[in-house]
Amino acid sequence: MDRITSTTLALFVVLCGLGIRQCAIGVYGTHLPMDVKDLTPIEPQLAKLKPGERELVVGYLKRSNGDVLPAKFTDPDNPFTARTFGEAIRLQRAWLVRDAERQAKADALAAQRDAAMQPLRAAVDVRLVRRQILTHDEIYGVAQPTTNARGQTVKHAFNTNEALVVTWRLRNTSRRTIDSASGSVWLRDAAGQRANSCWIDHRDPLPPDESVEVRCGNTAKGVGDADRAFVATSAGEFVLVWEPRKVTFAGGETLDAERRP
């Protein structure tokens, strides 16, 4: 009786093990949905995965947007060929490794570039002064009446077209006169996006500890809702990013952020 019980028990354990393994294989064989906006149909299968694997499947679906491509037509470094949970897990895991490597290289290059700009930032400081919606006449000044060849007074039509104008202040924080300074200044919003940017190319002498205001705008672009929202947003919600390109001092010495050693 004991022998039969032991054999039966052993067989039961083996069958249970096979059943669990088959169940796991069945979950990994679940077909990926074409519509990734609603994952409700596969929620029961996702729930059977380990938390890390579930994140991999969902991450793959977000990246692929439900696309399935033949291997010969897809990017070898970023293939969207998965049709099942198991394939998605494998591809997403490999992609995360490659992405981490790419990000590490990008971070290293960004740090190197930032270090190259530090001497220029020490020489020229940039600050945000104001953001305005101005008409063409407010930007350039209202045209005054003129007199034609016949002595007649000619009145000019008003130009009320609006443009976003951002004013920046450049200050020479070095101990030498700066003949020219160039670079890009922009604001980063809370989402990490560029809210506004300006290319500055100042070419007039700027003595030590003196400043000059520079206005940026595009009169041909017009003004949209995003521009008005930008003006209405508190300056404290932005981070100013100053990326100087080149600074030339009186006497000819130049600091170039892009010059390679």
Side-chain angles (χ1 to χ4, degrees):
M1 184 69 178
D2 291 340
R3 183 177 179 182
I4 295 175
T5 301
S6 299
T7 303
T8 303
L9 179 62
L11 180 60
F12 176 76
V13 170
V14 170
L15 291 175
C16 285
L18 290 174
I20 293 173
R21 182 171 181 274
Q22 185 61 41
C23 179
I25 293 175
V27 172
Y28 292 127
T30 301
H31 285 279
L32 299 176
M34 300 296 291
D35 182 7
V36 299
K37 295 180 181 178
D38 181 15
L39 299 183
T40 304
I42 61 169
E43 284 294 346
Q45 290 81 9
L46 285 173
K48 296 178 182 179
L49 295 172
K50 298 176 182 178
E53 293 178 333
R54 186 161 56 248
E55 291 178 6
L56 290 172
V57 172
V58 174
Y60 178 87
L61 289 173
K62 289 182 179 178
R63 285 197 310 110
S64 68
N65 198 32
D67 292 338
V68 181
L69 301 174
K72 62 180 180 180
F73 295 133
T74 193
D75 182 354
D77 292 330
N78 188 23
F80 290 128
T81 57
R83 297 179 182 275
T84 64
F85 278 10
E87 292 171 356
I89 291 171
R90 177 178 58 81
L91 291 178
Q92 183 70 0
R93 185 177 284 127
W95 181 84
L96 288 175
V97 171
R98 291 193 299 270
D99 187 59
E101 293 173 348
R102 286 192 294 266
Q103 189 60 51
K105 292 179 181 178
D107 291 344
L109 289 174
Q112 182 181 357
R113 185 168 178 264
D114 191 70
M117 289 188 287
Q118 289 309 312
L120 289 78
R121 287 173 175 154
V124 179
D125 180 68
V126 177
R127 289 289 182 268
L128 174 66
V129 179
R130 67 184 69 90
R131 295 159 290 156
Q132 301 168 285
I133 302 295
L134 300 176
T135 66
H136 185 278
D137 288 340
E138 288 173 329
I139 295 171
Y140 296 106
V142 178
Q144 298 299 317
T146 59
T147 303
N148 61 20
R150 298 180 181 180
Q152 298 171 323
T153 299
V154 179
K155 294 183 179 181
H156 297 277
F158 291 104
N159 188 335
T160 57
N161 292 333
E162 293 181 323
L164 170 64
V165 178
V166 181
T167 303
W168 309 89
R169 180 178 293 117
L170 275 68
R171 186 167 71 91
N172 182 351
T173 51
S174 74
R175 297 181 179 180
R176 294 180 289 172
T177 295
I178 292 176
D179 278 349
S180 64
S182 64
S184 175
V185 59
W186 50 283
L187 298 175
R188 184 172 63 236
D189 62 19
Q193 302 298 317
R194 289 197 183 203
N196 188 269
S197 61
C198 175
W199 173 256
I200 294 176
D201 189 6
H202 183 72
R203 302 192 182 191
D204 292 325
L206 190 62
D209 205 34
E210 290 196 11
S211 62
V212 62
E213 291 189 357
V214 177
R215 297 199 304 179
C216 279
N218 184 352
T219 57
K221 180 183 177 183
V223 176
D225 292 339
D227 296 318
R228 299 188 190 280
F230 168 68
V231 172
T233 303
S234 169
E237 296 188 30
F238 297 110
V239 175
L240 187 150
V241 181
W242 168 226
E243 298 182 334
R245 176 75 58 82
K246 185 181 293 186
V247 174
T248 301
F249 297 98
E253 182 183 351
T254 299
L255 297 177
D256 190 340
E258 294 191 347
R259 180 180 299 164
R260 297 292 181 266

